[in-house]
Amino acid sequence: MVGMALACSLASMPLTKHLNVAIIDSNPALGSRVRLKKGDPPDARVSTVTPATISLFKDVGAWQYIEQNRHAYFHKMQVWDYTGLGYTRYNARDINKEVLGCVVENKVLHDSLLSCIETTDFQKTFHPSRLTSMTLHQSSSSMGMDSTLLKTTSSSLGHLAKLELSDGKSIFAKLVVGADGGKSRVRELAGFKTTGWNYSQNAVICTVEHSVENRCAWQRFLPAGPIALLPMGNNFSNIVWTMNPKEAGNRKLMNEDDFVKDTNAALDYGYGPHPKSSLLEMGDMFSWLRGDVTLSATEGFEVPPKVVKLASERMVFPLSLKHANDYASKRVVLIGDAAHTVHPLAGQGVNMGFGDALALSRVIAEGIAVGIDIGEVTMLKKYEEERKRTNIMMMAILDGFQKAYSVDFGPLNILRAAVFHGANYISPLKRNIISYASGDQRLPLFS
């Protein structure tokens, strides 16, 4: 999705729409092009896209295709703790926005970007293949390329990156963009090192059905990890439930009725009581910091809609944090999960990737405007500097949340409750949190 977003962004800008782009992806969807319908069975894999990402899709012309398929805007969110000591609610109107985000199935996001790029006169070639090897600074004696892939002279080939594909074809390129996920082959072949760790947690994801429409995003922190219930439209919601690997294996295999029962308990009275409206009169404690009261601060705690049945298979994924020490080198650059992998507790991973795609397309356009080779490392490092700072801050916040909620300890529980109430009652802090999570680059601090 992130690589396709980059291609669409390049196709939409005057300075870059003349570029010749090869899209290498073994995803069968590139070849089949089976049109999606709103009535299709829901998929378990979804993304929560922020207002900043929605703006990107609108700017490149892809959002119109999403609106033709199943999607769900939400303007409210509730987050609470299993101890019953704290909760906070967020509302888009707190920051004068219409929505906090939109939940879209990944297949819909991918199809919308594909539809978008197919309607442009952008020079693109699709290769339903895999990258097997990559050579940088290849000598000009290496020929044997498919002349339809890249029109260039033999004397210039020595300055390009050479890519060998699993179908036997070769491509020479000024710039190779690795948008190939957390196990990036581009990152491996280019020799980029990474830093990170495993969380000893798995995420169970699936789609469930309600008897009523869900119009709010819900997240509850449980002893083993958070559970999120995200609206998808048509009475469907997506579950992202973090737990230890043994629990995840058991919940994947348990019968549907038991899983539905466990899910409803995890989102209601299971593990602990509902939160009170205030803890030790914290609403009054924070009154001197409130400023003008946000709309959501006056809203009481609500119980999510009941799950009535499963609507998809249950999938299990191991969770980890991984960050590439460098995003760019001569002729190679990383975006999306190839550059950074994060915990899913705030749904920010794919939005970070879309932010990468937008930033890189702008840097490429700036380079073309002044006549710089688009594979020049000094130009690519401008993209790295911009995005690494933003991504590291988001990764630090998400990792901090994960660690803070992985310990069940009385005094720490009280402290976490205070944080929840502070986020609920201190208006400047709440507005900054919402803005930051929506894609604003400001840090979640007092403004």
Side-chain angles (χ1 to χ4, degrees):
M1 296 185 294
V2 171
M4 289 295 294
L6 172 63
C8 289
S9 185
L10 293 172
S12 70
M13 295 191 295
L15 287 171
T16 56
K17 65 181 182 180
H18 69 280
L19 293 175
N20 189 350
V21 173
I23 299 170
I24 305 164
D25 193 340
S26 59
N27 187 338
L30 284 176
S32 63
R33 295 303 287 125
V34 176
R35 290 296 172 185
L36 303 179
K37 299 177 182 178
K38 277 189 176 181
D40 288 346
D43 197 51
R45 290 161 295 188
V46 307
S47 294
T48 303
V49 293
T50 62
T53 294
I54 293 171
S55 293
L56 167 62
F57 272 66
K58 287 181 176 179
D59 290 344
V60 303
W63 195 253
Q64 59 179 314
Y65 301 106
I66 287 175
E67 291 184 324
Q68 296 169 12
N69 289 282
R70 182 169 43 234
H71 63 288
Y73 293 103
F74 62 93
H75 68 274
K76 294 191 296 183
M77 182 174 184
Q78 178 176 286
V79 184
W80 73 107
D81 187 89
Y82 72 94
T83 62
L85 297 177
Y87 77 97
T88 187
R89 291 180 63 87
Y90 301 102
N91 193 305
R93 285 178 286 178
D94 291 340
I95 56 169
N96 299 314
K97 288 184 180 291
E98 293 183 2
V99 298
L100 292 177
C102 185
V103 181
V104 189
E105 292 160 69
N106 287 358
K107 66 182 182 182
V108 173
L109 287 170
H110 189 273
D111 188 74
S112 70
L113 292 165
L114 193 54
S115 297
C116 174
I117 201 166
E118 284 179 340
T119 60
T120 70
D121 56 2
F122 195 48
Q123 298 180 69
K124 69 275 185 183
T125 310
F126 293 99
H127 298 276
S129 186
R130 297 181 185 275
L131 175 63
T132 57
S133 68
M134 180 171 65
T135 307
L136 305 178
H137 308 299
Q138 179 70 27
S139 67
S140 60
S141 61
S142 294
M143 298 300 290
M145 64 178 290
D146 184 337
S147 61
T148 64
L149 303 182
L150 178 64
K151 294 182 177 171
T152 185
T153 62
S154 61
S155 61
S156 68
L157 296 182
H159 303 294
L160 305 176
K162 181 183 179 183
L163 289 75
E164 300 280 1
L165 306 185
S166 57
D167 60 6
K169 291 181 179 179
S170 298
I171 298 176
F172 289 84
K174 287 185 176 181
L175 177 62
V176 179
V177 181
D180 49 344
K183 298 179 180 179
S184 171
R185 179 69 169 154
V186 172
R187 187 182 65 216
E188 176 189 353
L189 293 173
F192 289 107
K193 304 299 182 184
T194 62
T195 301
W197 46 83
N198 295 322
Y199 282 123
S200 298
Q201 291 178 318
N202 285 358
V204 177
I205 67 169
C206 62
T207 296
V208 296
E209 190 170 351
H210 310 283
S211 59
V212 296
E213 192 69 73
N214 177 24
R215 303 185 185 280
C216 179
W218 314 83
Q219 183 160 265
R220 187 187 188 197
F221 285 92
L222 304 175
I227 180 172
L229 183 73
L230 308 171
M232 293 176 61
N234 305 126
N235 287 11
F236 294 116
S237 289
N238 188 255
I239 294 282
V240 183
W241 192 351
T242 301
M243 60 191 76
N244 66 59
K246 183 178 179 181
E247 275 187 291
N250 291 338
R251 286 210 164 87
K252 177 178 170 62
L253 297 174
M254 69 171 44
N255 68 61
E256 179 177 334
D257 289 344
D258 287 343
F259 182 82
V260 168
K261 182 179 178 181
D262 279 7
T263 300
N264 283 324
L267 290 165
D268 199 341
Y269 275 113
Y271 303 94
H274 292 168
K276 305 293 184 184
S277 59
S278 65
L279 174 67
L280 303 178
E281 302 299 326
M282 280 191 180
D284 294 332
M285 288 174 59
F286 292 125
S287 60
W288 64 282
L289 288 170
R290 282 186 187 181
D292 54 321
V293 177
T294 58
L295 176 68
S296 56
T298 64
E299 299 174 350
F301 176 82
E302 294 182 16
V303 178
K306 294 293 184 186
V307 173
V308 294
K309 67 177 182 179
L310 271 172
S312 77
E313 64 175 321
R314 284 163 279 179
M315 306 175 73
V316 177
F317 296 98
L319 302 181
S320 63
L321 180 145
K322 184 183 293 184
H323 189 246
N325 298 344
D326 297 288
Y327 292 5
S329 65
K330 181 73 171 179
R331 305 237 173 268
V332 184
V333 66
L334 304 177
I335 62 175
D337 282 1
H340 42 76
T341 305
V342 298
H343 196 287
L345 65 84
Q348 289 295 329
V350 74
N351 294 293
M352 292 165 64
F354 287 134
D356 294 345
L358 178 59
L360 180 58
S361 64
R362 287 174 174 170
V363 167
I364 291 173
E366 291 169 4
I368 291 172
V370 296
I372 296 176
D373 181 346
I374 63 171
E376 180 58 48
V377 67
T378 53
M379 184 197 78
L380 299 174
K381 284 293 182 180
K382 292 180 180 178
Y383 151 76
E384 178 181 312
E385 181 181 2
E386 175 187 344
R387 291 305 299 168
K388 186 179 280 189
R389 179 174 60 250
T390 301
N391 291 336
I392 287 176
M393 178 57 66
M394 179 62 77
M395 294 175 80
I397 291 171
L398 297 179
D399 187 58
F401 265 99
Q402 189 278 332
K403 287 179 168 54
Y405 284 91
S406 62
V407 179
D408 185 14
F409 178 59
L412 182 59
N413 293 345
I414 297 292
L415 179 60
R416 290 195 306 236
V419 172
F420 268 117
H421 283 279
N424 201 37
Y425 289 107
I426 303 174
S427 301
L429 176 61
K430 173 176 276 192
R431 291 193 177 98
N432 271 269
I433 290 173
I434 299 173
S435 294
Y436 189 69
S438 298
D440 195 316
Q441 296 307 309
R442 290 182 300 164
L443 301 183
L445 303 172
F446 295 101
S447 58

